[in-house]
Amino acid sequence: MEGDILFVSQKQKRGGAIYEDQVKKILEKESNLDVLELNFQKNKVLFFNKFKYFYQIKSHHPGKRYKTLITNKAGVYAGILSRKCDKKILILHHYYGDENIYPFVNIFLKNRLLSNLNKFNSVIVVSEYWKKYFSNYISEKKIEIIYNSFDVDKINSIKKDLNVQSFKRKYKIPDKKIIVYAGNALKIKGYEEVINQLKNDDEYFVITSGNKDKNAVIQHLHLILDYTEYIQLLCSADITIILSKFQEGWNRIAHESLICGKPVIGTSVAGMGELLQKANQTIWKDGDNLQELIKSSIDNNKKTNHGEKYASQYNLEYLKKRWVSVLT
């Protein structure tokens, strides 16, 4: 038996998984696609996720040959390269050296990933930062950038239909304060820094949403929203601030905020730094006065308009065109 494409992804709700889901939907319309979704909730007797993924890979249509393999790094760690395929494509959103609490496991994972990069025909990254990083290990000619992309028409439709006052009333968001959206309530994403800098200034109201740290003590407004209301939140805020310490692949929250026509302040880490610089947004550095940066960003319509125009070019048509190009 021979199929067209085997696509290996993970059952998660993170930015990288959203990107992969978008690619899957595009390729389903273009080819015969077989999806293997690695799921840590299955095979619980195996305990470690890597062992669960290894079993799921080995038991997925054993002996079946595919023309093309598309995988992420979790598939590499779990041994997907043992499957025979004519063409192999790796998606790398980001890479950091402490993915596991055990140092010896990190060394193993790093060696497994980097030593296998040359077995791929193409490595897809989502920013120039990561292209430059991985070009230290493989030929730059093998690396292609395909940026995070969005359903811009859907976002614009939500924005057009939004009644800001109604949304604020629903979630008891004050009218006469500067509304700051600080992303997910994850320490590594920097929301605590935003709250600490603004907590003594009654002019600001900080909101987070979505994922939060397991033991986080939430004393501000934290919302769990579907996608439509999440976009409504971005549009209702005056500014988005992401003071991330994480080595970002890109940053979908910052990008969506720009499409919504909102200014963004963020750190220069990895891919997010590229996004903010190209969108002409404000880079925050330790010691900067956040209040001053907020007011200058909100008042700068030229910056905001440039950011919206830059971000909106990465739509689903762009994503389809780039991925079909890679496959053909």
Side-chain angles (χ1 to χ4, degrees):
M1 292 179 66
E2 184 173 289
D4 284 345
I5 300 174
L6 173 61
F7 195 113
V8 180
S9 63
Q10 286 168 280
K11 191 175 180 62
Q12 294 178 335
K13 293 183 179 179
R14 297 174 184 172
I18 295 170
Y19 178 99
E20 290 169 18
D21 283 343
Q22 288 178 322
V23 175
K24 280 187 284 187
K25 288 176 183 177
I26 288 170
L27 298 184
E28 281 172 347
K29 298 174 183 178
E30 302 293 326
S31 60
N32 178 20
L33 191 70
D34 183 6
V35 176
L36 168 56
E37 190 175 64
L38 302 175
N39 187 350
F40 67 90
Q41 298 284 3
K42 294 181 177 179
N43 316 114
K44 291 185 178 181
V45 68
L46 296 174
F47 192 70
F48 290 111
N49 289 349
K50 301 294 185 293
F51 293 157
K52 296 174 187 177
Y53 293 168
F54 176 80
Y55 176 79
Q56 289 167 30
I57 284 170
K58 289 297 182 184
S59 59
H60 185 79
H61 301 317
K64 186 174 182 178
R65 183 181 176 88
Y66 295 88
K67 292 179 181 176
T68 303
L69 166 69
I70 301 174
T71 187
N72 57 21
K73 63 177 185 276
V76 179
Y77 296 153
I80 191 63
L81 286 171
S82 62
R83 301 296 295 256
K84 293 183 178 180
C85 304
D86 298 329
K87 185 175 185 178
K88 296 177 181 178
I89 298 170
L90 174 63
I91 302 174
L92 284 172
H93 302 283
H94 53 74
Y95 177 77
Y96 52 103
D98 55 352
E99 297 183 14
N100 194 281
I101 60 173
Y102 302 108
F104 72 92
V105 175
N106 285 322
I107 293 171
F108 168 79
L109 295 178
K110 180 178 181 179
N111 290 338
R112 190 171 183 86
L113 177 66
L114 298 180
S115 65
N116 279 301
L117 288 180
N118 273 312
K119 295 179 181 178
F120 288 92
N121 302 88
S122 298
V123 175
I124 308 301
V125 295
V126 295
S127 68
E128 290 178 359
Y129 176 92
W130 291 108
K131 179 172 183 175
K132 183 177 180 181
Y133 179 91
F134 287 111
S135 66
N136 291 314
Y137 302 96
I138 56 172
S139 169
E140 189 174 313
K141 294 178 181 178
K142 278 192 171 187
I143 307 172
E144 295 199 49
I145 301 171
I146 305 181
Y147 289 102
N148 278 254
S149 301
F150 302 81
D151 191 337
V152 176
D153 291 338
K154 181 176 182 178
I155 293 173
N156 286 335
S157 177
I158 295 169
K159 182 166 57 172
K160 181 181 176 183
D161 294 339
L162 171 64
N163 183 317
V164 174
Q165 296 307 314
S166 176
F167 182 84
K168 286 185 173 182
R169 281 195 301 272
K170 180 176 180 178
Y171 290 107
K172 297 180 173 60
I173 300 170
D175 262 337
K176 298 181 179 180
K177 293 191 178 186
I178 295 173
I179 308 304
V180 175
Y181 178 61
N184 300 142
L186 300 171
K187 186 174 182 179
I188 198 169
K189 294 287 188 170
Y191 84 102
E192 289 184 334
E193 182 74 40
V194 179
I195 290 172
N196 289 337
Q197 289 218 31
L198 302 179
K199 65 183 178 182
N200 296 322
D201 194 331
D202 198 46
E203 191 175 1
Y204 299 94
F205 188 82
V206 180
I207 304 173
T208 57
S209 73
N211 293 332
K212 63 185 181 71
D213 288 321
K214 188 175 181 180
N215 298 316
V217 179
I218 303 295
Q219 296 178 322
H220 60 280
L221 180 59
H222 180 81
L223 301 175
I224 304 298
L225 306 170
D226 62 21
Y227 187 73
T228 295
E229 286 205 319
Y230 159 70
I231 294 299
Q232 290 174 340
L233 172 59
L234 296 183
C235 294
S236 300
D238 295 291
I239 191 167
T240 292
I241 305 177
I242 309 292
L243 303 186
S244 178
K245 300 171 186 174
F246 180 73
Q247 288 293 97
E248 301 277 0
W250 197 241
N251 188 284
R252 293 186 68 87
I253 290 173
H255 197 132
E256 285 162 326
S257 298
L258 293 170
I259 297 172
C260 290
K262 299 297 174 176
V264 177
I265 296 173
T267 49
S268 61
V269 290
M272 187 168 74
E274 179 187 339
L275 167 62
L276 298 184
Q277 288 161 10
K278 288 185 173 180
N280 195 28
Q281 299 303 293
T282 302
I283 301 294
W284 178 85
K285 301 180 289 295
D286 284 333
D288 282 349
N289 185 306
L290 192 56
Q291 286 93 329
E292 289 180 5
L293 294 182
I294 291 170
K295 289 176 180 176
S296 64
S297 296
I298 290 174
D299 292 339
N300 194 327
N301 289 330
K302 187 176 180 180
K303 260 190 171 186
T304 303
N305 292 337
H306 176 84
E308 183 176 356
K309 183 178 180 181
Y310 172 78
S312 295
Q313 68 182 306
Y314 297 114
N315 55 24
L316 297 184
E317 189 59 35
Y318 158 84
L319 190 68
K320 175 182 176 181
K321 182 178 179 181
R322 292 291 293 113
W323 268 95
V324 170
S325 172
V326 166
L327 288 173
T328 57

